[in-house]
Short mmCIF file of all heavy atoms in Angstrom, two decimals:
data_model
loop_
_atom_site.label_atom_id
_atom_site.label_comp_id
_atom_site.label_asym_id
_atom_site.label_seq_id
_atom_site.Cartn_x
_atom_site.Cartn_y
_atom_site.Cartn_z
N MET A 1 -25.81 -63.34 81.92
CA MET A 1 -26.06 -62.00 81.44
C MET A 1 -26.99 -61.30 82.42
O MET A 1 -27.90 -61.89 82.98
CB MET A 1 -26.68 -62.06 80.04
CG MET A 1 -26.96 -60.68 79.48
SD MET A 1 -27.73 -60.66 77.84
CE MET A 1 -26.39 -61.16 76.81
N ASP A 2 -26.75 -60.04 82.54
CA ASP A 2 -27.55 -59.19 83.42
C ASP A 2 -29.00 -59.15 82.92
O ASP A 2 -29.24 -58.90 81.74
CB ASP A 2 -26.92 -57.79 83.40
CG ASP A 2 -27.66 -56.80 84.29
OD1 ASP A 2 -28.33 -57.23 85.24
OD2 ASP A 2 -27.57 -55.59 83.98
N PRO A 3 -30.00 -59.38 83.80
CA PRO A 3 -31.41 -59.38 83.36
C PRO A 3 -31.84 -58.05 82.75
O PRO A 3 -32.61 -58.02 81.79
CB PRO A 3 -32.20 -59.66 84.64
CG PRO A 3 -31.23 -60.24 85.61
CD PRO A 3 -29.88 -59.77 85.21
N GLU A 4 -31.32 -56.96 83.27
CA GLU A 4 -31.67 -55.65 82.71
C GLU A 4 -31.13 -55.50 81.29
O GLU A 4 -31.82 -55.03 80.39
CB GLU A 4 -31.14 -54.53 83.60
CG GLU A 4 -31.60 -53.15 83.18
CD GLU A 4 -31.09 -52.05 84.11
OE1 GLU A 4 -31.10 -52.26 85.33
OE2 GLU A 4 -30.68 -51.02 83.58
N ARG A 5 -29.91 -55.95 81.09
CA ARG A 5 -29.29 -55.88 79.76
C ARG A 5 -30.04 -56.78 78.79
O ARG A 5 -30.28 -56.42 77.63
CB ARG A 5 -27.82 -56.30 79.87
CG ARG A 5 -27.09 -56.35 78.56
CD ARG A 5 -26.80 -54.97 78.04
NE ARG A 5 -26.03 -55.08 76.82
CZ ARG A 5 -26.15 -54.30 75.78
NH1 ARG A 5 -26.99 -53.28 75.82
NH2 ARG A 5 -25.42 -54.46 74.72
N GLN A 6 -30.45 -57.97 79.25
CA GLN A 6 -31.19 -58.89 78.41
C GLN A 6 -32.53 -58.27 77.99
O GLN A 6 -32.93 -58.39 76.84
CB GLN A 6 -31.42 -60.21 79.14
CG GLN A 6 -32.09 -61.24 78.28
CD GLN A 6 -32.23 -62.58 78.99
OE1 GLN A 6 -31.77 -62.76 80.12
NE2 GLN A 6 -32.85 -63.52 78.33
N GLN A 7 -33.19 -57.61 78.92
CA GLN A 7 -34.47 -56.98 78.60
C GLN A 7 -34.27 -55.87 77.56
O GLN A 7 -35.06 -55.74 76.62
CB GLN A 7 -35.12 -56.40 79.86
CG GLN A 7 -36.47 -55.77 79.57
CD GLN A 7 -37.13 -55.21 80.82
OE1 GLN A 7 -36.61 -55.35 81.93
NE2 GLN A 7 -38.27 -54.56 80.62
N GLN A 8 -33.22 -55.08 77.70
CA GLN A 8 -32.94 -54.03 76.73
C GLN A 8 -32.69 -54.61 75.34
O GLN A 8 -33.16 -54.07 74.33
CB GLN A 8 -31.72 -53.20 77.17
CG GLN A 8 -31.98 -52.31 78.36
CD GLN A 8 -30.70 -51.61 78.83
OE1 GLN A 8 -29.58 -51.99 78.46
NE2 GLN A 8 -30.88 -50.61 79.68
N LEU A 9 -31.94 -55.71 75.29
CA LEU A 9 -31.66 -56.36 74.01
C LEU A 9 -32.95 -56.92 73.38
O LEU A 9 -33.17 -56.78 72.17
CB LEU A 9 -30.64 -57.47 74.17
CG LEU A 9 -29.20 -57.01 74.44
CD1 LEU A 9 -28.32 -58.21 74.76
CD2 LEU A 9 -28.65 -56.25 73.26
N GLU A 10 -33.81 -57.53 74.19
CA GLU A 10 -35.06 -58.07 73.69
C GLU A 10 -35.97 -56.96 73.16
O GLU A 10 -36.62 -57.12 72.13
CB GLU A 10 -35.78 -58.88 74.78
CG GLU A 10 -35.09 -60.20 75.08
CD GLU A 10 -35.71 -60.92 76.27
OE1 GLU A 10 -36.60 -60.36 76.95
OE2 GLU A 10 -35.28 -62.06 76.53
N GLU A 11 -35.99 -55.84 73.85
CA GLU A 11 -36.77 -54.70 73.39
C GLU A 11 -36.23 -54.16 72.08
O GLU A 11 -36.99 -53.82 71.16
CB GLU A 11 -36.80 -53.59 74.46
CG GLU A 11 -37.65 -53.93 75.66
CD GLU A 11 -37.56 -52.88 76.76
OE1 GLU A 11 -36.84 -51.87 76.59
OE2 GLU A 11 -38.21 -53.08 77.80
N ALA A 12 -34.91 -54.08 71.97
CA ALA A 12 -34.29 -53.59 70.75
C ALA A 12 -34.58 -54.53 69.58
O ALA A 12 -34.88 -54.07 68.46
CB ALA A 12 -32.78 -53.44 70.94
N VAL A 13 -34.52 -55.83 69.82
CA VAL A 13 -34.81 -56.81 68.77
C VAL A 13 -36.28 -56.69 68.36
O VAL A 13 -36.62 -56.71 67.17
CB VAL A 13 -34.47 -58.24 69.23
CG1 VAL A 13 -35.05 -59.27 68.28
CG2 VAL A 13 -32.96 -58.41 69.34
N GLY A 14 -37.17 -56.56 69.33
CA GLY A 14 -38.60 -56.42 69.04
C GLY A 14 -38.87 -55.16 68.22
O GLY A 14 -39.65 -55.19 67.25
N PHE A 15 -38.22 -54.07 68.59
CA PHE A 15 -38.38 -52.82 67.85
C PHE A 15 -37.85 -52.97 66.42
O PHE A 15 -38.49 -52.52 65.46
CB PHE A 15 -37.65 -51.68 68.58
CG PHE A 15 -37.74 -50.37 67.87
CD1 PHE A 15 -38.90 -49.63 67.89
CD2 PHE A 15 -36.65 -49.87 67.17
CE1 PHE A 15 -38.99 -48.41 67.23
CE2 PHE A 15 -36.73 -48.65 66.50
CZ PHE A 15 -37.90 -47.92 66.54
N ALA A 16 -36.71 -53.63 66.27
CA ALA A 16 -36.13 -53.82 64.94
C ALA A 16 -37.05 -54.69 64.07
O ALA A 16 -37.22 -54.42 62.88
CB ALA A 16 -34.75 -54.46 65.06
N GLU A 17 -37.63 -55.73 64.67
CA GLU A 17 -38.55 -56.58 63.91
C GLU A 17 -39.79 -55.80 63.49
O GLU A 17 -40.26 -55.93 62.35
CB GLU A 17 -38.96 -57.80 64.74
CG GLU A 17 -37.85 -58.82 64.90
CD GLU A 17 -38.24 -59.96 65.85
OE1 GLU A 17 -39.28 -59.86 66.54
OE2 GLU A 17 -37.49 -60.94 65.89
N GLN A 18 -40.32 -54.99 64.39
CA GLN A 18 -41.50 -54.18 64.08
C GLN A 18 -41.18 -53.19 62.96
O GLN A 18 -41.96 -53.01 62.02
CB GLN A 18 -41.95 -53.44 65.33
CG GLN A 18 -43.25 -52.69 65.18
CD GLN A 18 -43.65 -52.00 66.48
OE1 GLN A 18 -42.82 -51.74 67.35
NE2 GLN A 18 -44.93 -51.69 66.60
N ARG A 19 -40.02 -52.59 63.03
CA ARG A 19 -39.62 -51.63 62.00
C ARG A 19 -39.41 -52.32 60.65
O ARG A 19 -39.79 -51.80 59.60
CB ARG A 19 -38.35 -50.91 62.45
CG ARG A 19 -37.91 -49.85 61.51
CD ARG A 19 -37.23 -48.76 62.26
NE ARG A 19 -36.79 -47.78 61.29
CZ ARG A 19 -37.03 -46.50 61.40
NH1 ARG A 19 -37.69 -46.06 62.44
NH2 ARG A 19 -36.60 -45.65 60.51
N ALA A 20 -38.81 -53.51 60.67
CA ALA A 20 -38.60 -54.26 59.43
C ALA A 20 -39.94 -54.64 58.80
O ALA A 20 -40.10 -54.56 57.57
CB ALA A 20 -37.77 -55.51 59.70
N ASP A 21 -40.91 -55.03 59.63
CA ASP A 21 -42.24 -55.36 59.10
C ASP A 21 -42.89 -54.13 58.48
O ASP A 21 -43.51 -54.22 57.41
CB ASP A 21 -43.13 -55.91 60.22
CG ASP A 21 -42.72 -57.30 60.66
OD1 ASP A 21 -41.96 -57.97 59.93
OD2 ASP A 21 -43.17 -57.73 61.76
N ALA A 22 -42.76 -52.98 59.11
CA ALA A 22 -43.34 -51.75 58.57
C ALA A 22 -42.67 -51.38 57.24
O ALA A 22 -43.34 -50.96 56.29
CB ALA A 22 -43.20 -50.61 59.57
N LEU A 23 -41.36 -51.54 57.17
CA LEU A 23 -40.65 -51.24 55.93
C LEU A 23 -41.03 -52.21 54.82
O LEU A 23 -41.17 -51.82 53.66
CB LEU A 23 -39.14 -51.25 56.16
CG LEU A 23 -38.60 -50.09 57.00
CD1 LEU A 23 -37.11 -50.30 57.31
CD2 LEU A 23 -38.80 -48.77 56.28
N ASP A 24 -41.20 -53.49 55.17
CA ASP A 24 -41.65 -54.47 54.18
C ASP A 24 -43.01 -54.09 53.61
O ASP A 24 -43.23 -54.15 52.40
CB ASP A 24 -41.76 -55.87 54.81
CG ASP A 24 -40.44 -56.61 54.84
OD1 ASP A 24 -39.49 -56.16 54.20
OD2 ASP A 24 -40.38 -57.67 55.51
N GLU A 25 -43.92 -53.69 54.48
CA GLU A 25 -45.25 -53.30 54.04
C GLU A 25 -45.19 -52.06 53.14
O GLU A 25 -45.86 -52.01 52.10
CB GLU A 25 -46.15 -53.03 55.24
CG GLU A 25 -47.58 -52.74 54.87
CD GLU A 25 -48.46 -52.54 56.10
OE1 GLU A 25 -48.09 -52.98 57.19
OE2 GLU A 25 -49.53 -51.92 55.93
N ALA A 26 -44.38 -51.10 53.52
CA ALA A 26 -44.25 -49.88 52.71
C ALA A 26 -43.63 -50.20 51.35
O ALA A 26 -44.07 -49.68 50.32
CB ALA A 26 -43.39 -48.86 53.45
N LEU A 27 -42.67 -51.09 51.33
CA LEU A 27 -42.03 -51.48 50.07
C LEU A 27 -43.01 -52.23 49.18
O LEU A 27 -43.08 -51.99 47.97
CB LEU A 27 -40.80 -52.34 50.36
CG LEU A 27 -39.95 -52.74 49.17
CD1 LEU A 27 -39.44 -51.52 48.43
CD2 LEU A 27 -38.80 -53.61 49.61
N ARG A 28 -43.80 -53.11 49.76
CA ARG A 28 -44.80 -53.85 49.00
C ARG A 28 -45.84 -52.90 48.41
O ARG A 28 -46.22 -53.00 47.25
CB ARG A 28 -45.47 -54.87 49.92
CG ARG A 28 -45.78 -56.18 49.28
CD ARG A 28 -46.36 -57.20 50.26
NE ARG A 28 -46.45 -56.73 51.62
CZ ARG A 28 -45.80 -57.24 52.66
NH1 ARG A 28 -45.02 -58.24 52.50
NH2 ARG A 28 -45.92 -56.75 53.87
N ASP A 29 -46.29 -51.93 49.22
CA ASP A 29 -47.26 -50.94 48.75
C ASP A 29 -46.68 -50.11 47.60
O ASP A 29 -47.34 -49.87 46.59
CB ASP A 29 -47.68 -50.03 49.90
CG ASP A 29 -48.69 -48.98 49.49
OD1 ASP A 29 -49.71 -49.36 48.87
OD2 ASP A 29 -48.46 -47.78 49.78
N THR A 30 -45.44 -49.70 47.75
CA THR A 30 -44.78 -48.91 46.71
C THR A 30 -44.64 -49.73 45.42
O THR A 30 -44.88 -49.21 44.32
CB THR A 30 -43.39 -48.44 47.19
OG1 THR A 30 -43.56 -47.66 48.37
CG2 THR A 30 -42.69 -47.61 46.14
N ALA A 31 -44.29 -51.00 45.55
CA ALA A 31 -44.16 -51.85 44.36
C ALA A 31 -45.50 -52.02 43.66
O ALA A 31 -45.56 -51.99 42.42
CB ALA A 31 -43.59 -53.21 44.77
N GLU A 32 -46.58 -52.18 44.42
CA GLU A 32 -47.91 -52.31 43.82
C GLU A 32 -48.31 -51.03 43.10
O GLU A 32 -48.86 -51.07 42.00
CB GLU A 32 -48.94 -52.67 44.89
CG GLU A 32 -48.81 -54.08 45.41
CD GLU A 32 -49.72 -54.36 46.60
OE1 GLU A 32 -50.51 -53.46 46.99
OE2 GLU A 32 -49.64 -55.47 47.14
N ARG A 33 -48.03 -49.89 43.72
CA ARG A 33 -48.37 -48.61 43.09
C ARG A 33 -47.54 -48.39 41.83
O ARG A 33 -48.05 -47.87 40.82
CB ARG A 33 -48.16 -47.47 44.08
CG ARG A 33 -49.18 -47.51 45.23
CD ARG A 33 -48.91 -46.50 46.28
NE ARG A 33 -49.12 -45.16 45.73
CZ ARG A 33 -48.84 -44.05 46.37
NH1 ARG A 33 -48.34 -44.09 47.59
NH2 ARG A 33 -49.05 -42.89 45.82
N LEU A 34 -46.28 -48.78 41.86
CA LEU A 34 -45.42 -48.64 40.69
C LEU A 34 -45.91 -49.54 39.56
O LEU A 34 -45.96 -49.12 38.40
CB LEU A 34 -43.97 -48.98 41.05
CG LEU A 34 -42.94 -48.91 39.93
CD1 LEU A 34 -42.90 -47.50 39.34
CD2 LEU A 34 -41.58 -49.32 40.42
N ALA A 35 -46.29 -50.77 39.89
CA ALA A 35 -46.81 -51.68 38.86
C ALA A 35 -48.09 -51.12 38.24
O ALA A 35 -48.27 -51.20 37.02
CB ALA A 35 -47.07 -53.06 39.47
N ALA A 36 -48.96 -50.54 39.06
CA ALA A 36 -50.20 -49.95 38.53
C ALA A 36 -49.87 -48.77 37.63
O ALA A 36 -50.49 -48.60 36.57
CB ALA A 36 -51.10 -49.51 39.68
N ALA A 37 -48.90 -47.95 38.03
CA ALA A 37 -48.52 -46.80 37.20
C ALA A 37 -47.93 -47.27 35.87
O ALA A 37 -48.22 -46.69 34.82
CB ALA A 37 -47.52 -45.92 37.95
N LEU A 38 -47.12 -48.33 35.91
CA LEU A 38 -46.55 -48.85 34.67
C LEU A 38 -47.62 -49.41 33.75
O LEU A 38 -47.56 -49.21 32.53
CB LEU A 38 -45.50 -49.92 34.98
CG LEU A 38 -44.20 -49.39 35.60
CD1 LEU A 38 -43.29 -50.56 36.01
CD2 LEU A 38 -43.48 -48.48 34.63
N ARG A 39 -48.61 -50.10 34.32
CA ARG A 39 -49.71 -50.61 33.49
C ARG A 39 -50.46 -49.44 32.84
O ARG A 39 -50.83 -49.49 31.67
CB ARG A 39 -50.67 -51.45 34.33
CG ARG A 39 -50.15 -52.84 34.65
CD ARG A 39 -51.24 -53.72 35.25
NE ARG A 39 -51.80 -53.18 36.46
CZ ARG A 39 -51.36 -53.39 37.69
NH1 ARG A 39 -50.29 -54.16 37.87
NH2 ARG A 39 -51.95 -52.86 38.74
N ARG A 40 -50.66 -48.39 33.61
CA ARG A 40 -51.37 -47.22 33.08
C ARG A 40 -50.57 -46.55 31.97
O ARG A 40 -51.12 -46.16 30.93
CB ARG A 40 -51.63 -46.24 34.22
CG ARG A 40 -52.57 -45.17 33.87
CD ARG A 40 -53.02 -44.44 35.10
NE ARG A 40 -53.88 -43.35 34.71
CZ ARG A 40 -54.03 -42.23 35.35
NH1 ARG A 40 -53.40 -42.06 36.49
NH2 ARG A 40 -54.82 -41.29 34.92
N ILE A 41 -49.26 -46.43 32.16
CA ILE A 41 -48.40 -45.84 31.13
C ILE A 41 -48.42 -46.69 29.87
O ILE A 41 -48.51 -46.16 28.75
CB ILE A 41 -46.96 -45.67 31.66
CG1 ILE A 41 -46.92 -44.54 32.69
CG2 ILE A 41 -45.97 -45.41 30.53
CD1 ILE A 41 -45.60 -44.43 33.43
N GLU A 42 -48.36 -48.02 30.03
CA GLU A 42 -48.40 -48.90 28.86
C GLU A 42 -49.72 -48.75 28.11
O GLU A 42 -49.74 -48.73 26.87
CB GLU A 42 -48.19 -50.35 29.29
CG GLU A 42 -46.75 -50.63 29.71
CD GLU A 42 -46.59 -52.01 30.32
OE1 GLU A 42 -47.60 -52.74 30.50
OE2 GLU A 42 -45.44 -52.37 30.62
N ALA A 43 -50.82 -48.63 28.85
CA ALA A 43 -52.12 -48.45 28.19
C ALA A 43 -52.16 -47.12 27.45
O ALA A 43 -52.67 -47.04 26.32
CB ALA A 43 -53.24 -48.52 29.23
N LEU A 44 -51.62 -46.08 28.06
CA LEU A 44 -51.59 -44.77 27.40
C LEU A 44 -50.71 -44.80 26.16
O LEU A 44 -51.05 -44.21 25.13
CB LEU A 44 -51.12 -43.69 28.37
CG LEU A 44 -52.09 -43.33 29.50
CD1 LEU A 44 -51.41 -42.41 30.51
CD2 LEU A 44 -53.33 -42.68 28.94
N GLU A 45 -49.57 -45.49 26.25
CA GLU A 45 -48.71 -45.61 25.08
C GLU A 45 -49.41 -46.35 23.95
O GLU A 45 -49.27 -45.99 22.78
CB GLU A 45 -47.41 -46.33 25.45
CG GLU A 45 -46.45 -45.48 26.25
CD GLU A 45 -45.20 -46.25 26.66
OE1 GLU A 45 -45.22 -47.50 26.68
OE2 GLU A 45 -44.20 -45.58 26.97
N ALA A 46 -50.15 -47.39 24.30
CA ALA A 46 -50.88 -48.15 23.28
C ALA A 46 -51.94 -47.26 22.62
O ALA A 46 -52.10 -47.28 21.40
CB ALA A 46 -51.52 -49.39 23.89
N ARG A 47 -52.64 -46.48 23.42
CA ARG A 47 -53.64 -45.57 22.86
C ARG A 47 -53.00 -44.53 21.97
O ARG A 47 -53.50 -44.22 20.89
CB ARG A 47 -54.43 -44.89 23.98
CG ARG A 47 -55.41 -45.81 24.67
CD ARG A 47 -56.11 -45.16 25.81
NE ARG A 47 -56.84 -43.96 25.40
CZ ARG A 47 -57.31 -43.07 26.24
NH1 ARG A 47 -57.13 -43.21 27.54
NH2 ARG A 47 -57.96 -42.00 25.81
N LEU A 48 -51.87 -43.97 22.41
CA LEU A 48 -51.17 -42.97 21.62
C LEU A 48 -50.68 -43.58 20.31
O LEU A 48 -50.81 -42.97 19.25
CB LEU A 48 -50.00 -42.38 22.40
CG LEU A 48 -49.19 -41.31 21.71
CD1 LEU A 48 -50.07 -40.12 21.36
CD2 LEU A 48 -48.03 -40.87 22.59
N SER A 49 -50.16 -44.78 20.38
CA SER A 49 -49.69 -45.46 19.17
C SER A 49 -50.85 -45.68 18.21
O SER A 49 -50.70 -45.50 17.00
CB SER A 49 -49.05 -46.80 19.55
OG SER A 49 -48.69 -47.50 18.40
N THR A 50 -52.00 -46.06 18.75
CA THR A 50 -53.18 -46.26 17.92
C THR A 50 -53.58 -44.95 17.25
O THR A 50 -53.91 -44.93 16.06
CB THR A 50 -54.35 -46.79 18.76
OG1 THR A 50 -53.96 -48.04 19.33
CG2 THR A 50 -55.59 -46.99 17.94
N LEU A 51 -53.53 -43.87 18.00
CA LEU A 51 -53.90 -42.57 17.42
C LEU A 51 -52.89 -42.12 16.37
O LEU A 51 -53.26 -41.55 15.35
CB LEU A 51 -54.01 -41.52 18.52
CG LEU A 51 -55.17 -41.68 19.48
CD1 LEU A 51 -55.06 -40.67 20.62
CD2 LEU A 51 -56.50 -41.51 18.76
N GLU A 52 -51.60 -42.38 16.63
CA GLU A 52 -50.57 -41.96 15.69
C GLU A 52 -50.64 -42.73 14.38
O GLU A 52 -50.47 -42.17 13.31
CB GLU A 52 -49.18 -42.13 16.30
CG GLU A 52 -48.86 -41.12 17.38
CD GLU A 52 -47.52 -41.38 18.04
OE1 GLU A 52 -47.02 -42.52 17.97
OE2 GLU A 52 -46.99 -40.44 18.64
N THR A 53 -50.89 -44.02 14.47
CA THR A 53 -50.89 -44.85 13.27
C THR A 53 -52.25 -44.91 12.61
O THR A 53 -52.36 -45.31 11.46
CB THR A 53 -50.44 -46.29 13.59
OG1 THR A 53 -51.36 -46.85 14.52
CG2 THR A 53 -49.03 -46.32 14.14
N GLY A 54 -53.28 -44.53 13.34
CA GLY A 54 -54.63 -44.59 12.80
C GLY A 54 -55.08 -46.01 12.58
O GLY A 54 -55.88 -46.29 11.69
N SER A 55 -54.58 -46.93 13.38
CA SER A 55 -54.89 -48.34 13.16
C SER A 55 -56.34 -48.68 13.50
O SER A 55 -56.79 -49.77 13.21
CB SER A 55 -53.95 -49.23 13.98
OG SER A 55 -54.11 -48.98 15.35
N ASN A 56 -57.08 -47.77 14.10
CA ASN A 56 -58.49 -48.01 14.35
C ASN A 56 -59.32 -47.80 13.09
O ASN A 56 -60.45 -48.25 13.01
CB ASN A 56 -59.02 -47.07 15.44
CG ASN A 56 -58.89 -47.69 16.81
OD1 ASN A 56 -58.46 -48.82 16.94
ND2 ASN A 56 -59.27 -46.95 17.82
N ALA A 57 -58.76 -47.07 12.13
CA ALA A 57 -59.50 -46.79 10.90
C ALA A 57 -59.61 -48.07 10.08
O ALA A 57 -58.69 -48.87 10.04
CB ALA A 57 -58.78 -45.73 10.09
N PRO A 58 -60.74 -48.27 9.43
CA PRO A 58 -60.88 -49.46 8.57
C PRO A 58 -59.85 -49.42 7.44
O PRO A 58 -59.33 -48.37 7.08
CB PRO A 58 -62.29 -49.34 8.02
CG PRO A 58 -62.99 -48.29 8.82
CD PRO A 58 -61.93 -47.46 9.47
N GLU A 59 -59.58 -50.60 6.89
CA GLU A 59 -58.61 -50.72 5.80
C GLU A 59 -58.97 -49.79 4.65
O GLU A 59 -58.14 -49.13 4.08
CB GLU A 59 -58.56 -52.17 5.30
CG GLU A 59 -58.06 -53.15 6.34
CD GLU A 59 -56.56 -53.09 6.49
OE1 GLU A 59 -55.88 -52.85 5.49
OE2 GLU A 59 -56.08 -53.28 7.61
N HIS A 60 -60.21 -49.79 4.28
CA HIS A 60 -60.67 -48.91 3.20
C HIS A 60 -62.02 -48.36 3.62
O HIS A 60 -62.87 -49.08 4.10
CB HIS A 60 -60.78 -49.66 1.88
CG HIS A 60 -61.81 -50.74 1.90
ND1 HIS A 60 -61.68 -51.88 2.65
CD2 HIS A 60 -63.01 -50.83 1.28
CE1 HIS A 60 -62.75 -52.64 2.48
NE2 HIS A 60 -63.57 -52.03 1.67
N GLU A 61 -62.16 -47.09 3.47
CA GLU A 61 -63.42 -46.46 3.84
C GLU A 61 -64.30 -46.31 2.62
O GLU A 61 -63.83 -45.96 1.55
CB GLU A 61 -63.18 -45.08 4.47
CG GLU A 61 -62.65 -45.13 5.87
CD GLU A 61 -62.65 -43.76 6.51
OE1 GLU A 61 -63.52 -42.92 6.16
OE2 GLU A 61 -61.77 -43.51 7.34
N ASP A 62 -65.56 -46.60 2.82
CA ASP A 62 -66.51 -46.33 1.75
C ASP A 62 -66.72 -44.82 1.68
O ASP A 62 -66.71 -44.14 2.70
CB ASP A 62 -67.85 -47.02 2.03
CG ASP A 62 -67.73 -48.53 1.98
OD1 ASP A 62 -66.88 -49.02 1.21
OD2 ASP A 62 -68.47 -49.21 2.71
N PRO A 63 -66.90 -44.29 0.48
CA PRO A 63 -67.14 -42.85 0.40
C PRO A 63 -68.46 -42.51 1.10
O PRO A 63 -69.39 -43.30 1.14
CB PRO A 63 -67.22 -42.58 -1.10
CG PRO A 63 -67.44 -43.90 -1.73
CD PRO A 63 -66.92 -44.95 -0.80
N PRO A 64 -68.53 -41.33 1.68
CA PRO A 64 -69.76 -40.94 2.37
C PRO A 64 -70.89 -40.77 1.35
O PRO A 64 -70.65 -40.40 0.21
CB PRO A 64 -69.41 -39.61 3.02
CG PRO A 64 -68.26 -39.09 2.28
CD PRO A 64 -67.52 -40.28 1.74
N PRO A 65 -72.10 -41.05 1.77
CA PRO A 65 -73.21 -40.84 0.85
C PRO A 65 -73.32 -39.36 0.50
O PRO A 65 -72.95 -38.49 1.29
CB PRO A 65 -74.44 -41.31 1.63
CG PRO A 65 -74.00 -41.54 3.02
CD PRO A 65 -72.53 -41.56 3.06
N PRO A 66 -73.79 -39.07 -0.70
CA PRO A 66 -73.83 -37.67 -1.16
C PRO A 66 -74.66 -36.77 -0.26
O PRO A 66 -74.38 -35.60 -0.13
CB PRO A 66 -74.45 -37.75 -2.55
CG PRO A 66 -74.53 -39.18 -2.91
CD PRO A 66 -74.27 -39.99 -1.69
N HIS A 67 -75.65 -37.30 0.41
CA HIS A 67 -76.52 -36.45 1.23
C HIS A 67 -75.98 -36.29 2.66
O HIS A 67 -76.62 -35.66 3.48
CB HIS A 67 -77.93 -37.06 1.26
CG HIS A 67 -77.96 -38.43 1.86
ND1 HIS A 67 -77.60 -39.53 1.14
CD2 HIS A 67 -78.30 -38.85 3.09
CE1 HIS A 67 -77.72 -40.61 1.91
NE2 HIS A 67 -78.14 -40.21 3.11
N SER A 68 -74.81 -36.86 2.98
CA SER A 68 -74.31 -36.78 4.36
C SER A 68 -73.72 -35.42 4.69
O SER A 68 -73.59 -35.08 5.86
CB SER A 68 -73.22 -37.85 4.59
OG SER A 68 -72.04 -37.52 3.90
N GLY A 69 -73.33 -34.66 3.71
CA GLY A 69 -72.74 -33.35 3.97
C GLY A 69 -71.27 -33.43 4.36
O GLY A 69 -70.66 -32.43 4.67
N ARG A 70 -70.71 -34.64 4.36
CA ARG A 70 -69.29 -34.79 4.69
C ARG A 70 -68.45 -34.77 3.43
O ARG A 70 -68.88 -35.26 2.38
CB ARG A 70 -69.03 -36.10 5.41
CG ARG A 70 -69.59 -36.15 6.81
CD ARG A 70 -69.16 -37.38 7.56
NE ARG A 70 -68.63 -38.42 6.65
CZ ARG A 70 -68.40 -39.67 7.04
NH1 ARG A 70 -68.64 -40.03 8.28
NH2 ARG A 70 -67.92 -40.55 6.20
N LEU A 71 -67.29 -34.24 3.55
CA LEU A 71 -66.35 -34.25 2.43
C LEU A 71 -65.56 -35.54 2.46
O LEU A 71 -65.42 -36.17 3.51
CB LEU A 71 -65.39 -33.06 2.53
CG LEU A 71 -66.04 -31.68 2.41
CD1 LEU A 71 -65.00 -30.60 2.69
CD2 LEU A 71 -66.64 -31.49 1.04
N PRO A 72 -65.01 -35.95 1.33
CA PRO A 72 -64.17 -37.16 1.31
C PRO A 72 -63.02 -36.99 2.30
O PRO A 72 -62.49 -35.89 2.51
CB PRO A 72 -63.67 -37.23 -0.13
CG PRO A 72 -64.67 -36.45 -0.92
CD PRO A 72 -65.19 -35.39 0.01
N GLY A 73 -62.62 -38.09 2.93
CA GLY A 73 -61.54 -38.04 3.91
C GLY A 73 -62.04 -37.69 5.30
O GLY A 73 -61.25 -37.46 6.21
N GLY A 74 -63.35 -37.65 5.51
CA GLY A 74 -63.90 -37.39 6.83
C GLY A 74 -63.87 -35.94 7.23
O GLY A 74 -64.00 -35.60 8.39
N ARG A 75 -63.67 -35.05 6.29
CA ARG A 75 -63.59 -33.62 6.61
C ARG A 75 -64.97 -33.01 6.63
O ARG A 75 -65.92 -33.44 6.13
CB ARG A 75 -62.74 -32.89 5.58
CG ARG A 75 -61.31 -33.40 5.62
CD ARG A 75 -60.44 -32.72 4.61
NE ARG A 75 -60.63 -33.49 3.35
CZ ARG A 75 -60.48 -32.99 2.16
NH1 ARG A 75 -60.15 -31.76 1.98
NH2 ARG A 75 -60.66 -33.71 1.10
#
């Protein structure tokens, strides 16, 4: 094989390897960012579900003391 042609092929292979490594890194970064976004969405959904169902509220609330100025039901 012609030495010039061999050098061109080696350069092309080196460039392709470098580009593949860069794409791998970009894909890995994107996957990590996507996983973080999904974790954040899941946490937000859990908070929204808690707010919708009121599951943070105790099973039964004691009535407020008469001097608290609060109406029954937390109003």
Side-chain angles (χ1 to χ4, degrees):
M1 180 181 288
D2 180 25
E4 187 178 319
R5 176 74 177 144
Q6 184 176 357
Q7 182 179 357
Q8 288 175 346
L9 288 173
E10 288 173 354
E11 288 175 0
V13 167
F15 178 75
E17 288 174 350
Q18 186 179 22
R19 184 149 178 130
D21 289 344
L23 289 173
D24 276 349
E25 185 177 340
L27 185 58
R28 219 177 357 244
D29 180 51
T30 301
E32 289 172 4
R33 292 174 67 187
L34 179 59
L38 289 174
R39 283 191 302 271
R40 192 167 177 209
I41 289 171
E42 288 172 356
L44 290 171
E45 286 177 339
R47 286 177 58 194
L48 181 60
S49 176
T50 300
L51 291 173
E52 287 176 339
T53 61
S55 62
N56 269 357
E59 296 283 326
H60 64 291
E61 285 189 30
D62 293 329
H67 61 280
S68 71
R70 290 188 343 192
L71 295 174
R75 297 179 274 153

